[in-house]
Amino acid sequence: MNRIAALVIAPLLASACSQSDAPQTGAGPEAGTSAWTTLDGQPPQVIAHRGASGLRPEHSQAAYQLALEQGADVIEPDLVMSSDGVLIVRHDPYLSHSTDIANRPEFADRRSVILGREDWWVPTFTAAELRTLTASQTMDDRDQSYNGQYPVMTFEDFLDFVAAEQERCACEIAIEPEVKLPAEFTAMGLDPLPALLAALEAHDLNRADAPVVIQSFDAPFLQRLNAVSELPLAMLYAGPDAEGANAGGLSLEEIAQFADGIGAYKTLLLTPTGDSTGFVEQAHDLGLAVHVWTVRDDREPLTGDTVQDELRALYSVGVDGVFTDFPATAVAVREEMANE
């Protein structure tokens, strides 16, 4: 299987779960009846953004568990590096925003200034220390009642959770890790690439047909990874003028030389009236799958009056996957469209 095929097919493996005892993952039997304009003609994938992070603290086991129960095809962990070179499942490299560290007196004197911010920083703590912290909801207007219940996870913890769920459901669960700030961590002597490959190798996931896509905003990192692994890669991209999210100024044609997909910000894909800008079609012509970010039930939609309108517009222009904090809504809209 080539890597482009793996990128669009691997998430479908999640739908192989037994219907009697497994999370209801993937498109149901009616899906695919619509004329989907995805790269492979299959239903677009629902990607749980940091788990079901709209309802549980992001990157917690509970968020990932709920995402699978809600029918997500793919679950996404963000990865940063601890001081001892362990991959940690966090979006931000600082800790005040998403953990209980401010309430931990034993770490009160561990604040430092990195990247111009004073905070508690992941790369100044060991993995063992980080695993004593618990996850918190990062958005003030979301449910805070689950804070303090779920430990911060290492990538190994995450992969062990996925393996256990696969054992339980006799299925494959697709994952889409995002490596955060690899250049910055490498400059600290904490190159995430060897740790990433070692963790995936330990779970037999460093192969072209594994249900894995690796994503990053860092083009040189993906180019390095492309040279040493057959895993499908996705270049995260918010547009040519988005500093730090513009793929280093590379064109789509140049991105297609090392990546198999593009993780595009949703404003690139739709006009204000919900029509296609032509971005998805251009990417598909280059063989790039398009995974769009991020759809949230509790935020204003990009187009239309509701998040359902937004999802319909994105599905209609042919996106191959949708990152969402609320997987159940994205699954429901996909099913409605499939049955129309």
Side-chain angles (χ1 to χ4, degrees):
M1 180 185 296
N2 64 43
R3 296 200 314 175
I4 294 174
L7 183 67
V8 294
I9 292 173
L12 297 175
L13 296 173
S15 64
C17 297
S18 164
Q19 298 302 302
S20 61
D21 61 357
Q24 297 302 298
T25 312
E30 298 296 326
T33 57
S34 288
W36 301 109
T37 55
T38 52
L39 185 59
D40 64 351
Q42 294 297 313
Q45 301 303 301
V46 173
I47 307 167
H49 183 241
R50 313 176 197 175
S53 56
L55 300 168
R56 300 290 186 274
E58 66 183 37
H59 296 312
S60 65
Q61 181 170 315
Y64 293 120
Q65 184 71 62
L66 181 58
L68 294 175
E69 292 170 0
Q70 290 188 340
D73 303 293
V74 189
I75 53 177
E76 181 221 20
D78 292 313
L79 303 177
V80 293
M81 292 285 283
S82 69
S83 64
D84 50 347
V86 176
L87 289 168
I88 305 297
V89 182
R90 292 282 93 193
H91 175 266
D92 300 311
Y94 51 87
L95 293 160
S96 63
H97 189 50
S98 65
T99 76
D100 65 340
I101 196 164
N103 300 322
R104 301 291 294 274
E106 68 270 33
F107 297 134
D109 62 350
R110 298 283 292 276
R111 291 171 66 94
S112 57
V113 178
I114 298 178
L115 301 177
R117 178 188 176 106
E118 183 179 355
D119 210 301
W120 293 271
W121 288 83
V122 172
T124 68
F125 288 81
T126 66
E129 289 173 324
L130 292 165
R131 291 176 81 243
T132 69
L133 303 176
T134 58
S136 300
Q137 175 59 254
T138 61
M139 297 189 183
D140 292 340
D141 59 346
R142 290 179 173 175
D143 187 355
Q144 305 292 316
S145 65
Y146 295 95
N147 293 354
Q149 299 184 31
Y150 309 106
V152 167
M153 303 174 77
T154 66
F155 189 38
E156 186 64 31
D157 293 333
F158 173 85
L159 292 175
D160 286 344
F161 161 75
V162 171
E165 287 300 300
Q166 291 182 144
E167 179 71 19
R168 187 176 72 82
C169 70
C171 66
E172 284 193 295
I173 294 170
I175 64 173
E176 193 157 340
E178 178 187 345
V179 180
K180 306 294 292 187
L181 302 172
E184 288 80 359
F185 280 105
T186 298
M188 300 176 196
L190 297 168
D191 183 359
L193 193 151
L196 174 69
L197 292 180
L200 294 171
E201 286 279 2
H203 286 262
D204 190 30
L205 292 173
N206 184 22
R207 48 187 171 83
D209 61 344
V212 179
V213 176
I214 305 298
Q215 50 171 339
S216 181
F217 281 105
D218 190 304
F221 175 79
L222 292 180
Q223 290 167 328
R224 288 173 55 210
L225 187 55
N226 181 57
V228 296
S229 175
E230 294 185 342
L231 286 168
L233 309 177
M235 181 78 246
L236 293 170
Y237 184 68
D241 300 320
E243 185 178 356
N246 66 352
L250 298 177
S251 66
L252 280 181
E253 289 80 7
E254 291 170 318
I255 291 169
Q257 298 304 307
F258 62 89
D260 308 282
I262 188 155
Y265 187 52
K266 58 190 180 182
T267 58
L268 296 172
L269 312 188
L270 297 175
T271 69
T273 58
D275 297 316
S276 175
T277 62
F279 184 95
V280 172
E281 293 86 346
Q282 183 184 359
H284 283 176
D285 286 344
L286 293 167
L288 292 168
V290 178
H291 292 177
V292 63
W293 47 278
T294 303
V295 175
R296 296 180 166 106
D297 290 17
D298 54 1
R299 296 297 183 267
E300 285 294 317
L302 175 62
T303 187
D305 297 323
T306 66
V307 68
Q308 287 83 1
D309 293 336
E310 180 180 56
L311 284 161
R312 281 179 168 270
L314 291 168
Y315 289 155
S316 294
V317 300
V319 298
D320 302 282
V322 172
F323 285 95
T324 176
D325 295 358
F326 298 86
T329 303
V331 169
V333 172
R334 182 182 61 185
E335 291 178 352
E336 289 171 3
M337 291 181 68
N339 291 315
E340 289 174 354

